[in-house]
Amino acid sequence: MTENVSVITLIVLSGFNETKNYQAYIFALTLLCYCFILLVNVAVILTVILDRNLHEPMYILLCTFCMNGLYGTTGFYPKFLWDLLSPVHVISYSGCLIQALVMYSFACSDLSILAVMAYDRYVAICRPLQYNSIMSKQRVILLVCFSWLTPFCVIGTNIILTSRLKLCSPYIARLFCVNWIIVKLACFPADTLVNNIVAYITILIYVFHGLFIVWSYMYLIKTCVHSKENRAKFMQTCVPHLISLITFLVAILFDVLNMRIQDSKGLPQMLQNFIAIEFLIIPPMMNPLIYGFKLTKIRNRILGFMTFKMKSTLS
């Protein structure tokens, strides 16, 4: 048994089995979706980087948010597009672990950045006179590093623990690699005890992120209720954040329920596939659009650049 387990070097992504009759259509739609994600995120990133007037904490965090979206989607879409064109849907075991690391460090980083953005809005609206001293450039850099490095280390710990397991099956009923499902392939369930403990600690860490966001918004709403000026600030800068947060949480919640609830086996594979990749489609696509249209400075810079380009082309 142990000898058979040790030779598993390739993981088969059996989630593609239901896509055989539609692969050309899915490929075209996915390529269009990925190009659009690249376009809107890069547009916001370049707008923030090139315009010195946007070198403020809120816009720096938005830039970080869009960069993280590019990081996560790049870990999925190129491999997914390649698999749609390939008759064999496999990935090396080491590549599978790396993909799982990218997917879920991306998701956890999104939540961390949303928590930092909530803190930024809390300070801006509830403690405006102290905003510049609290949200200094040094602190913003530290918060950005926290948003990226902490999830990477936390998820990396989960992946390292998974890499020591001996697997009894190379088949994953997904379109990409997921740490929790790899752990379920372990031959010896007793070996996964530490994995499960660390996984629940990870979930607890990010539940606290969510509770912190709720706490921040309780104070924000309490402050904004009695001030017309603060209500205007809330509608301008906090509503996009709330929409991003709700979009992200709904996508992740569906994916977690899909993985954890045993009854999900009764769902059609195509529906399971869509639920699985929803957090890689909707948030990275919607976030730049929401902020681009809602935040006046971003919208004006992008529209101004597009107008300038059109005039240059016509002349």
Side-chain angles (χ1 to χ4, degrees):
M1 182 71 172
T2 305
E3 291 179 2
N4 290 336
V5 170
S6 64
V7 298
I8 293 180
T9 56
L10 290 176
I11 299 294
V12 180
L13 303 172
S14 58
F16 283 92
N17 292 346
E18 298 296 320
T19 67
K20 290 180 180 178
N21 297 327
Y22 314 100
Q23 284 185 349
Y25 302 105
I26 296 172
F27 177 86
L29 190 62
T30 302
L31 182 60
L32 185 65
C33 178
Y34 184 44
C35 289
F36 185 76
I37 288 170
L38 290 175
L39 176 65
V40 292
N41 280 278
V42 169
V44 172
I45 291 166
L46 290 178
T47 301
V48 173
I49 290 174
L50 297 176
D51 193 331
R52 289 184 177 275
N53 294 322
L54 298 177
H55 292 182
E56 301 171 12
M58 181 173 68
Y59 300 106
I60 292 169
L61 293 172
L62 171 58
C63 186
T64 305
F65 202 29
C66 292
M67 286 179 177
N68 192 56
L70 291 179
Y71 162 70
T73 52
T74 301
F76 169 72
Y77 282 97
K79 176 68 170 71
F80 180 64
L81 289 166
W82 175 263
D83 283 333
L84 287 171
L85 296 177
S86 173
V88 181
H89 311 118
V90 297
I91 185 171
S92 67
Y93 183 45
S94 57
C96 188
L97 292 174
I98 291 170
Q99 189 179 53
L101 172 64
V102 172
M103 293 295 95
Y104 286 94
S105 61
F106 150 69
C108 292
S109 289
D110 253 11
L111 190 56
S112 293
I113 294 167
L114 285 166
V116 173
M117 292 172 90
Y119 176 68
D120 174 71
R121 291 300 84 206
Y122 158 74
V123 176
I125 294 175
C126 300
R127 302 169 68 182
L129 298 178
Q130 299 169 287
Y131 182 76
N132 290 329
S133 60
I134 293 174
M135 295 302 290
S136 62
K137 285 187 178 179
Q138 292 80 4
R139 182 159 294 178
V140 171
I141 290 168
L142 284 174
L143 289 171
V144 167
C145 291
F146 160 78
S147 301
W148 272 338
L149 295 179
T150 303
F152 192 84
C153 292
V154 170
I155 300 301
T157 303
N158 282 268
I159 298 299
I160 290 169
L161 290 171
T162 300
S163 67
R164 70 189 173 84
L165 299 175
K166 295 181 177 180
L167 308 184
C168 273
S169 171
Y171 294 96
I172 293 179
R174 302 276 285 200
L175 300 173
F176 61 91
C177 293
V178 179
N179 186 56
W180 177 253
I181 293 179
I182 299 171
V183 170
K184 291 201 293 185
L185 298 177
C187 292
F188 311 107
D191 292 345
T192 67
L193 178 62
V194 177
N195 294 73
N196 291 329
I197 292 170
V198 173
Y200 284 113
I201 291 172
T202 302
I203 291 169
L204 195 61
I205 289 170
Y206 290 98
V207 165
F208 279 118
H209 278 57
L211 292 175
F212 174 78
I213 295 171
V214 172
W215 173 83
S216 299
Y217 270 92
M218 284 174 61
Y219 274 85
L220 278 167
I221 292 167
K222 185 179 177 181
T223 303
C224 293
V225 165
H226 304 293
S227 169
K228 187 175 180 180
E229 183 183 349
N230 284 337
R231 283 201 300 272
K233 284 183 182 179
F234 184 90
M235 293 301 294
Q236 179 68 23
T237 61
C238 296
V239 169
H241 180 265
L242 278 175
I243 295 171
S244 295
L245 178 65
I246 292 166
T247 303
F248 170 79
L249 290 178
V250 168
I252 291 295
L253 182 62
F254 274 114
D255 187 37
V256 170
L257 290 174
N258 182 40
M259 281 193 293
R260 298 276 173 164
I261 297 175
Q262 295 298 320
D263 293 341
S264 66
K265 292 182 179 179
L267 295 175
Q269 185 64 50
M270 288 290 282
L271 179 58
Q272 288 190 52
N273 287 345
F274 176 76
I275 292 171
I277 65 172
E278 188 182 359
F279 79 104
L280 292 159
I281 299 173
I282 298 174
M285 189 184 295
M286 292 298 295
N287 291 336
L289 292 177
I290 292 165
Y291 283 98
F293 283 109
K294 189 65 179 171
L295 297 182
T296 307
K297 285 186 179 181
I298 294 282
R299 184 176 67 246
N300 289 345
R301 296 299 184 278
I302 292 175
L303 291 176
F305 178 76
M306 289 174 63
T307 304
F308 174 76
K309 278 293 181 183
M310 288 178 66
K311 286 181 179 177
S312 300
T313 305
L314 292 172
S315 61

